[in-house]
Amino acid sequence: MSLPVHTQTVLVVDDEPDSLRMLTAALEGAELSVLVATSGQAALDLLGHILPDLILMDAVMPGIDGFETTARIKARPELANVPVIFMTGLTESEHVVEAFEVGGTDYVRKPVNLMELIARVRVHMAQSRAMHASVASLDATGRLMMATDAQGRMLWCTPRAEQAIARLVPDWSREGGLPPAVSVLVERLLQRGGKPGSAVKGEFGESSLELLVIAHYRENEVLIRLNEISHEQNVAKLRDSLDLTQREAEVLLWVGYGKASNDISDVLDISPRTVQKHLERIYVKLGVEKRSAAAAIAIRIIEQ
């Protein structure tokens, strides 16, 4: 579903009229547009038509409370990246933990300090815009990248990553979250600590999918690169496109996958010194001086 974007818009979800009036006045005074929902269900209905920049969520409400409402929001791919700031009472410490568990970005205590609230709203809006700009940049470079939260739920993925998953799992639809076979790989990756450089691989018929952790983009966001591995086909692409020998193409393929020389040595059963010699010849043929430049060329050709 494609939703219209309204710049600098905050959705306030609260069942208390006095609180709504106070929050609306403060946010509008800060030159922010304000939408209001008096229940969790009303918020979910409204979010079917509009995409705010941030949601200010009351934790305790009758019917669907703020925690369940946020969990449902985060389950919808088009809304997963919208920051949610919870409002919780001074004595409700347990709510803070639950707020983060369901996908909340931050929280403020009631009674709300309005100056602090406005500051937090602006900070999280700026961070969200920066994240969207990063995703747009990755889209433009055609990289196979995605991000998940600490529980393994997909937050976003680039179009090329979406296409790769769809090739491996033909019946997959992005609206349903990650397919089970990929979710299992993500869970294994996160169970190992999700440290940058960590990788797991799964088999999909004649092809393989490797997931490689690039970074923890935020406290609750793991940036993952996807390597769609069809070795024979990819080696042939590199060999024929770049006029490389078979072994040089094999080495460059693994460089493109982000592997270190020692790992390439193990995979190809050759010495690290031999790997380095092949790399030196590859650099000359490609007219580059750095490993990163060679990797970028390999990725571009593999993903064509």
Side-chain angles (χ1 to χ4, degrees):
M1 176 172 50
S2 177
L3 299 177
V5 177
H6 295 262
T7 306
Q8 300 289 287
T9 299
V10 178
L11 170 60
V12 181
V13 188
D14 197 326
D15 65 316
E16 299 179 4
D18 290 342
S19 178
L20 280 175
R21 281 192 291 269
M22 176 189 68
L23 294 169
T24 299
L27 293 166
E28 290 181 342
E31 299 184 347
L32 298 168
S33 298
V34 181
L35 299 170
V36 169
T38 57
S39 70
Q41 188 58 58
L44 293 171
D45 292 343
L46 184 60
L47 289 168
H49 305 284
I50 194 160
L51 179 65
D53 294 282
L54 183 139
I55 299 171
L56 196 56
M57 180 73 67
D58 187 19
V60 181
M61 295 182 292
I64 305 175
D65 66 15
F67 306 114
E68 176 62 23
T69 301
T70 300
R72 295 189 189 186
I73 289 170
K74 294 298 179 178
R76 289 157 64 169
E78 72 274 16
L79 300 172
N81 293 322
V82 178
V84 177
I85 298 179
F86 272 88
M87 298 178 290
T88 183
L90 285 171
T91 61
E92 298 163 348
S93 298
E94 72 278 9
H95 291 163
V96 174
V97 175
E98 189 172 359
F100 286 117
E101 287 179 344
V102 297
T105 304
D106 200 353
Y107 72 96
V108 293
R109 299 285 194 183
K110 286 186 173 182
V112 175
N113 180 313
L114 294 176
M115 291 184 65
E116 175 187 352
L117 174 66
I118 297 301
R120 288 176 184 264
V121 165
R122 292 202 182 282
V123 165
H124 289 298
M125 280 184 169
Q127 289 178 341
S128 180
R129 286 195 299 273
M131 187 274 288
H132 283 295
S134 298
V135 175
S137 297
L138 290 170
D139 285 350
T141 61
R143 294 299 179 89
L144 277 69
M145 304 287 285
M146 71 176 181
T148 72
D149 63 17
Q151 287 72 48
R153 293 179 295 242
M154 185 175 70
L155 300 176
W156 55 263
C157 69
T158 63
R160 295 298 295 274
E162 183 176 353
Q163 292 164 13
I165 295 173
R167 281 194 295 271
L168 298 172
V169 187
D171 295 333
W172 175 65
S173 171
R174 180 172 179 170
E175 285 70 25
L178 288 172
V182 179
S183 290
V184 168
L185 295 179
V186 173
E187 289 172 8
R188 283 171 47 197
L189 196 61
L190 298 179
Q191 286 170 359
R192 296 179 182 181
K195 296 180 181 178
S198 301
V200 297
K201 187 171 71 172
E203 302 300 322
F204 293 79
E206 297 181 357
S207 299
S208 301
L209 181 67
E210 182 185 58
L211 304 184
L212 179 71
V213 175
I214 301 300
H216 282 261
Y217 184 81
R218 290 180 178 178
E219 182 180 350
N220 192 41
E221 187 167 330
V222 184
L223 187 62
I224 299 171
R225 188 174 77 202
L226 286 68
N227 293 321
E228 186 183 2
I229 303 172
S230 179
H231 294 298
E232 293 183 6
Q233 181 179 354
N234 289 340
V235 167
K237 278 186 178 182
L238 295 176
R239 183 192 63 221
D240 298 342
S241 299
L242 301 173
D243 193 24
L244 302 176
T245 67
Q246 179 74 12
R247 184 60 89 186
E248 288 167 351
E250 291 170 347
V251 170
L252 182 57
L253 176 67
W254 288 101
V255 168
Y257 289 157
K259 297 297 185 181
S261 293
N262 287 340
D263 294 328
I264 297 173
S265 171
D266 292 338
V267 170
L268 299 180
D269 196 22
I270 56 178
S271 70
R273 181 178 177 81
T274 301
V275 172
Q276 186 57 39
K277 287 183 178 179
H278 284 305
L279 281 174
E280 290 170 359
R281 289 195 289 270
I282 290 169
Y283 294 161
V284 171
K285 289 185 177 182
L286 301 187
V288 300
E289 297 180 356
K290 294 183 178 181
R291 188 187 191 95
S292 59
I297 292 172
I299 291 169
R300 186 174 67 247
I301 291 174
I302 290 169
E303 296 180 355
Q304 285 177 347

